Amino acid sequence: MRDELLAVENLTYCFRHEKHIAIQAVDNLSFQIREGEILGLVGESGSGKSTMARCIMNIYRPESGRILYQGIDVWNPKEFRRHKRLLQTSRQFIFQDSSSSLNPKQTVEQIIAEPLKIHGQKPERGTFRGEAAFQLNQVGLGEECLDQYPNQLSGGMRQRVAIARALTMKPRLLVADEPIASLDVSIQAQMINLLKRLQKEHGFSMLFIAHDLAVVHYLCDRVGVMYQGKLLELGPVTEVFENPCHTYTKSLIGAIPIPDPRLERARVLPEFEKENLEWRGQKTEVSFGHFVWR
């Protein structure tokens, strides 16, 4: 069994619009990420996936619950101050929209080197330009991109730059919030293969948030299914896909398109009635490492 890197315990977060109006985006969420594993998180828009990711990265402060990274309570002020450098360098975030997450006034070289300068780290390759060129090569881009600005790059190239910037800090945890959602299908395949290769080479853990179940099946070791802020099912990706237990999980997997048009037209989609979804109960282990809300 691999060591636990991240533990989310009973996490709850609410968006407050007025004094007496609040929308609960994450509801009593608990899960773990082990060293060197890729955990996929799926669910429809508004299910709380991105909100949860931002809580993990100290962007949103949760209402209740704990987030432990390497045993550090990241929302405990004293512990955060004591381990601030570790928490800011070894956890890295890849946003969905690369055009807004990259500084348009900086060149690619400046973008990739900026984290090293902020944290006072010397580049391993001697110079910041050499380090940026090395990281670009890691993600499949050449040195000709170093002096370009984000608006001179395609969406796929910008996302590669964002990945290169994250890898510069040698993270142990990479949180990828739908990093391929805004890309063309052909570019999506390249990005998924890139992330899979980089994870094998560097050994970091990753929380991968996505809508595409086929991508999660290909990339991830385990998968969690979210709906209305709750984690309905969590388990090894092969077992969840081959033997889904929750009706919502069955409806998601049943909606995956079949390449054969005749089979696609003939199939019957599983029914899922949101109104009859039972929230009372607790997570139960239906098989080794496979949990479902019951």
Side-chain angles (χ1 to χ4, degrees):
M1 181 70 69
R2 288 176 286 189
D3 293 335
E4 182 180 280
L5 179 67
L6 178 77
V8 177
E9 300 176 355
N10 308 116
L11 184 70
T12 298
Y13 182 86
C14 296
F15 287 104
R16 300 192 177 276
H17 295 275
E18 296 179 12
K19 186 175 181 180
H20 301 293
I21 299 177
I23 297 175
Q24 192 158 322
V26 179
D27 185 4
N28 198 33
L29 192 70
S30 298
F31 64 90
Q32 297 80 37
I33 298 179
R34 305 180 187 115
E35 291 275 8
E37 90 165 338
I38 303 177
L39 174 65
L41 206 60
V42 299
E44 61 192 56
S45 296
S47 60
K49 305 184 302 296
S50 296
T51 301
M52 178 274 305
R54 282 161 171 76
C55 288
I56 289 174
M57 296 301 293
N58 287 88
I59 299 174
Y60 293 167
R61 175 180 288 276
E63 300 280 326
S64 61
R66 294 200 308 167
I67 300 171
L68 302 176
Y69 175 74
Q70 293 184 232
I72 303 166
D73 186 343
V74 304
W75 281 108
N76 181 301
K78 290 184 179 179
E79 290 196 41
F80 183 86
R81 286 195 297 269
R82 189 182 305 125
H83 303 283
K84 184 176 180 179
R85 186 182 181 87
L86 169 69
L87 293 172
Q88 291 185 337
T89 57
S90 67
R91 301 178 302 164
Q92 293 295 314
F93 205 147
I94 300 175
F95 293 89
Q96 176 180 342
D97 186 5
S98 57
S99 60
S100 62
S101 67
L102 303 180
N103 190 336
K105 296 183 179 181
Q106 289 185 327
T107 64
V108 169
E109 177 188 345
Q110 292 170 328
I111 288 170
I112 296 176
E114 185 176 32
L116 294 172
K117 295 178 180 179
I118 289 174
H119 295 287
Q121 295 186 10
K122 293 183 179 180
E124 284 190 28
R125 278 84 201 173
T127 65
F128 290 113
R129 188 174 182 85
E131 185 66 31
F134 174 81
Q135 297 300 341
L136 279 183
N137 180 260
Q138 289 277 88
V139 298
L141 294 178
E143 293 187 25
E144 65 276 5
C145 297
L146 286 172
D147 297 315
Q148 292 183 312
Y149 291 87
N151 64 356
Q152 296 176 292
L153 306 175
S154 67
M157 294 171 74
R158 285 197 300 268
Q159 201 62 288
R160 288 173 187 264
V161 172
I163 295 172
R165 177 177 60 182
L167 292 180
T168 302
M169 303 310 297
K170 297 183 178 179
R172 292 183 66 181
L173 175 65
L174 195 62
V175 178
D177 185 10
E178 300 190 43
I180 63 171
S182 60
L183 305 177
D184 294 337
V185 175
S186 59
I187 306 300
Q188 287 184 2
Q190 296 175 20
M191 296 300 296
I192 290 303
N193 286 325
L194 173 64
L195 288 171
K196 194 177 183 71
R197 174 177 64 80
L198 291 173
Q199 194 276 331
K200 286 185 178 180
E201 290 178 357
H202 296 272
F204 52 77
S205 302
M206 180 161 58
L207 175 62
F208 183 81
I209 298 171
H211 282 102
D212 193 328
L213 293 173
V215 168
V216 170
H217 194 192
Y218 172 73
L219 179 66
C220 301
D221 302 305
R222 290 191 300 144
V223 60
V225 181
M226 283 191 69
Y227 179 70
Q228 293 188 358
K230 287 186 179 290
L231 189 62
L232 299 183
E233 191 159 356
L234 175 67
V237 65
T238 302
E239 186 169 348
V240 171
F241 274 76
E242 292 180 356
N243 184 33
C245 296
H246 199 280
T247 54
Y248 180 67
T249 309
K250 292 177 183 178
S251 68
L252 284 180
I253 294 174
I256 298 175
I258 300 175
D260 189 325
R262 290 171 297 181
L263 295 176
E264 177 68 22
R265 287 193 295 268
R267 70 173 176 161
V268 178
L269 296 178
E271 295 183 1
F272 171 68
E273 298 180 3
K274 298 181 181 180
E275 295 77 12
N276 297 329
L277 184 62
E278 178 60 66
W279 288 122
R280 291 191 300 272
Q282 60 183 3
K283 267 199 189 59
T284 304
E285 189 170 12
V286 294
S287 61
F288 182 72
H290 185 177
F291 295 84
V292 65
W293 185 273
R294 285 179 171 175

